[in-house]
Structures are given as structure tokens and as C-alpha cells.
Amino acid sequence: VIAGVALKDIVSSMFSGLLVGIDKAFNVGDYITIGTNSGTVQEIGFLTTKLLTDDGRKVYIPNQIIFNALFHNVTASPQRYIIINFDIPADEDIQKAIDSIKSSISKVENVDNAENSNVIVSNLKDGLFTVQTKFSMSVGAGIAKVKSDAYLTIKEGLDHQGINLSVPTSIQIENASN
């Protein structure tokens, strides 16, 4: 009985590993997300699946968890979208900002169909417009690199147009000593 209880998780992980291998929901080299872990599949073993995360960590996920959890195979999707929000003060020229963002997206490497990107005003709160851009990236491109390039290129375009992004403010309250 003790051995059966002790081996239950190991046998379950081995069986789950076999099912993961048979199901072929993802393969070595695919970029997947399981729970809070995202990365490129390095190895699919009987007990664990090894991911290499964006920050270079190797994460070993028991196959039992993979088999029982919701996961996303990002690589299997024919198109990946990047969504970025910018807060722009209401006193700025919002249409000029939208035009600048659209123009900037067309300059970012590995953006697919830049002419079909969406740039919309998604919110107005506390004197700030939230301008959201959604664009597709080329299959096989690194999402972190494309997103970083987009941020920098869009910021450069807005600066060139003289459009300011919101500046975070903080208030510090101290007790006055008498």
C-alpha cells in the first residue's frame, strides 16, 4: 500500500507523458504557455517537459500537470497578435497620435500586414485617453523582441510629433511632527 501510494504520482506522470507524446499537442521547438510558465519546449520526457523561458530559465513541468491543465501552443497559431496600450493626456492631439502610431508600426521589423493594424481609443479616464494598438507579427519571430521594437519605434514617432505620453505621478504624505 505504501509503495502504491508513493508510486502513484510517478506512474501518473509517466502515463501523462505517454499521452502528451501521443497527442502531439506540442512538439520540441514550439513556444507554449502552461499556467504561469511560457517558453520554448526543449524536451518532452516520460516524467517532465522542459521549457526554456524568455528570461533563459529552464523549467521542468511534470507531465501530469500538463495533461490536467489548460495550456496554449502559441507556435501552432497561424498568427500572433501584439496588443499595446498607451496613455495619452486628453489635451494632446489624439488623431495625430493615432496616425503616428500607425506609421510607426509599419517601420517595426517582423510586423505582418502593418496596414491592417488597429489603433483605437479604448478608454478615457482621469484626463487620459488609452490608445490601444493591435498588430500581427510574423510567424517565427520572437514576441519579446517585436514588442520591444514596437514600444521604442512608437515612442520615437510620438516624440517626433511632439506628443507626450502620460507621466506617472505620486503623492507622498508624511505626518508633521510638532
Side-chain angles (χ1 to χ4, degrees):
V1 171
I2 293 171
V5 171
L7 293 174
K8 179 182 89 98
D9 287 340
I10 292 173
V11 171
S12 178
S13 278
M14 287 178 65
F15 184 68
S16 296
L18 181 64
L19 292 176
V20 166
I22 291 171
D23 187 37
K24 299 285 186 197
F26 56 86
N27 297 304
V28 172
D30 284 355
Y31 189 89
I32 65 172
T33 299
I34 302 169
T36 59
N37 296 297
S38 294
T40 304
V41 177
Q42 297 292 300
E43 181 181 324
I44 302 170
F46 277 117
L47 297 176
T48 62
T49 294
K50 181 171 67 171
L51 294 182
L52 182 62
T53 64
D54 291 335
D55 59 0
R57 294 179 298 125
K58 289 182 182 177
V59 178
Y60 296 86
I61 301 172
N63 289 328
Q64 180 181 5
I65 291 173
I66 295 170
F67 190 70
N68 293 318
L70 176 67
F71 65 89
H72 305 278
N73 185 342
V74 178
T75 304
S77 302
Q79 199 63 58
R80 291 192 278 173
Y81 291 94
I82 295 176
I83 299 172
I84 303 174
N85 293 311
F86 295 94
D87 287 334
I88 300 176
D91 60 350
E92 294 288 345
D93 185 341
I94 299 303
Q95 188 56 53
K96 190 175 179 182
I98 289 171
D99 293 341
S100 175
I101 291 171
K102 282 183 179 180
S103 173
S104 296
I105 290 169
S106 66
K107 298 174 187 173
V108 177
E109 190 176 338
N110 290 315
V111 169
D112 236 5
N113 300 321
E115 63 278 356
N116 293 332
S117 62
N118 291 326
V119 181
I120 62 168
V121 175
S122 64
N123 197 12
L124 171 61
K125 184 177 180 182
D126 299 328
L128 296 174
F129 281 105
T130 300
V131 177
Q132 182 181 83
T133 180
K134 178 181 177 184
F135 56 90
S136 60
M137 58 180 275
S138 303
V139 175
I143 193 166
K145 174 76 169 121
V146 174
K147 195 170 188 178
S148 174
D149 290 349
Y151 274 124
L152 295 173
T153 304
I154 291 168
K155 173 70 168 104
E156 183 180 289
L158 291 171
D159 286 348
H160 181 73
Q161 294 294 324
I163 298 169
N164 296 310
L165 295 172
S166 71
V167 179
T169 57
S170 64
I171 300 172
Q172 184 175 355
I173 300 174
E174 296 179 7
N175 288 335
S177 57
N178 294 337

